[in-house]
Amino acid sequence: MTGKSFEQRRAELRKRVQSQIDSPNEAIHYSDLTENEENIQQDIVVKPMIDLDYDERSKLRMIAAIAILVGSILGIISGGILLQGNPGDLLNSSLFNEAETVDLTGQVLTDDGVAINNASIELYEDNSNSVIQTVLTNDNGYFQLDNVKPETMTIRVVKDGYSSLERTFIAEDGLMSPFTMKTGNPSIIIQEDFVDSEGGWSLEAAVALSTFLGVMTIITGFVGIQASVETRRASRYRRTQYLAGISLFSRGLIWIGPILILAGMALNSLVKDQYEDYLED
């Protein structure tokens, strides 16, 4: 093959054909034409995006189906473990575990919203007369109680010229609702009950949550099995990928299942030309 460019060879071929037309008595050199055609065909080579034959692509699709299937089955197993788990362990997990102690911050005000300083703040355990902590409010009426057990507690606020205020509450970390004092005799105690009998996580609530998570995990696992079936059928590419995406929420063995499903989805994207709806598009 000479070092001539494609355009040069094509121009020579065109010139030679034209000369044959102009001189019909001169024989046409078919060998030269054939050689030039071969050279042109060698220049026009279209390489496939993925150099795999049909059987190899089918194998990749089967591997994708298996990966999605295994990941989904792991999710179903995880859902079963959740349903059979001990709700008490769930309550003791980091999701529901309460801190050993909390810090409380509050403010004491008058009816008009004016801060009361030097008011005595006494912290009691519920149904006990033993004072745990005693502090005074600052110039802005604020006080802070540190390292308080997250249990039902009572705070008594005492200030000369005002009726005493006693509040029962469940200790939680953060800022408390303001303590509003009324003018009166300190011997008169105004009671406030801030205890929410429905507050906190009960065993029943933990069981309900655990059951819900287990059922949803199993359902999304079965969706993944359907995605695996759709992958084998190679009928609807988008539908298959959507189903596989939903199955990620099955969370088989936390991360192993989702990784397998993602791998299957990636392989699917490489062989999507085998799906019927992709070919139709």
Side-chain angles (χ1 to χ4, degrees):
M1 183 175 177
T2 63
K4 297 180 180 180
S5 67
F6 171 75
E7 294 295 334
Q8 289 175 335
R9 293 197 300 273
R10 187 171 65 175
E12 290 178 358
L13 177 61
R14 185 180 299 168
K15 182 177 180 181
R16 190 172 300 160
V17 172
Q18 186 64 39
S19 65
Q20 295 296 332
I21 295 174
D22 296 339
S23 304
N25 295 328
E26 187 175 340
I28 300 176
H29 299 284
Y30 290 101
S31 60
D32 293 339
L33 292 176
T34 304
E35 180 182 356
N36 280 278
E37 289 176 355
E38 291 177 352
N39 292 335
I40 293 173
Q41 290 176 357
Q42 289 176 2
D43 287 334
I44 305 175
V45 178
V46 179
K47 294 183 178 180
M49 185 178 297
I50 302 176
D51 192 13
L52 296 173
D53 58 26
Y54 184 84
D55 291 338
E56 290 174 332
R57 288 170 177 267
S58 297
K59 290 179 181 178
L60 278 183
R61 185 164 49 81
M62 292 302 103
I63 294 174
I66 293 172
I68 295 174
L69 177 64
V70 173
S72 301
I73 291 176
L74 290 177
I76 294 174
I77 294 174
S78 298
I81 293 174
L82 276 175
L83 291 178
Q84 296 178 0
N86 184 1
D89 294 338
L90 183 62
L91 280 175
N92 293 327
S93 67
S94 59
L95 181 62
F96 303 102
N97 191 24
E98 295 180 340
E100 294 182 359
T101 60
V102 296
D103 297 331
L104 306 177
T105 302
Q107 186 180 27
V108 180
L109 305 171
T110 65
D111 285 336
D112 299 329
V114 179
I116 300 177
N117 64 343
N118 291 324
S120 175
I121 309 297
E122 299 174 348
L123 178 66
Y124 299 84
E125 288 187 356
D126 190 34
N127 298 324
S128 173
N129 293 323
S130 300
V131 178
I132 300 175
Q133 293 187 48
T134 301
V135 296
L136 296 176
T137 58
N138 60 19
D139 293 339
N140 296 317
Y142 283 100
F143 67 88
Q144 182 166 335
L145 298 168
D146 298 327
N147 301 321
V148 180
K149 293 181 180 179
E151 301 173 355
T152 302
M153 295 286 179
T154 299
I155 284 181
R156 181 178 296 169
V157 184
V158 180
K159 175 69 175 179
D160 290 340
Y162 296 90
S163 299
S164 298
L165 182 62
E166 192 171 271
R167 177 184 296 179
T168 303
F169 64 101
I170 297 176
E172 295 179 354
D173 202 26
L175 182 64
M176 305 177 66
S177 299
F179 292 78
T180 303
M181 303 191 71
K182 298 180 180 180
T183 303
N185 191 331
S187 62
I188 299 175
I189 300 176
I190 300 175
Q191 301 283 344
E192 290 183 350
D193 189 358
F194 275 53
V195 176
D196 184 2
S197 59
E198 299 297 328
W201 279 93
S202 64
L203 182 61
E204 291 78 8
V207 171
L209 179 61
S210 177
T211 302
F212 173 77
L213 292 176
V215 170
M216 291 304 298
T217 300
I218 291 175
I219 290 175
T220 52
F222 278 111
V223 171
I225 292 178
Q226 181 61 33
S228 175
V229 173
E230 294 289 336
T231 302
R232 291 179 61 87
R233 290 177 179 172
S235 178
R236 296 288 182 265
Y237 172 72
R238 294 180 182 85
R239 170 185 169 86
T240 301
Q241 293 292 73
Y242 289 153
L243 292 175
I246 294 174
S247 68
L248 289 172
F249 292 97
S250 62
R251 300 172 294 113
L253 298 183
I254 302 176
W255 56 268
I256 297 178
I259 287 179
L260 289 173
I261 294 172
L262 284 173
M265 295 175 67
L267 291 176
N268 255 339
S269 66
L270 295 178
V271 296
K272 59 185 177 181
D273 56 338
Q274 288 199 333
Y275 285 80
E276 295 177 4
D277 62 340
Y278 185 81
L279 293 175
E280 292 173 359
D281 294 341

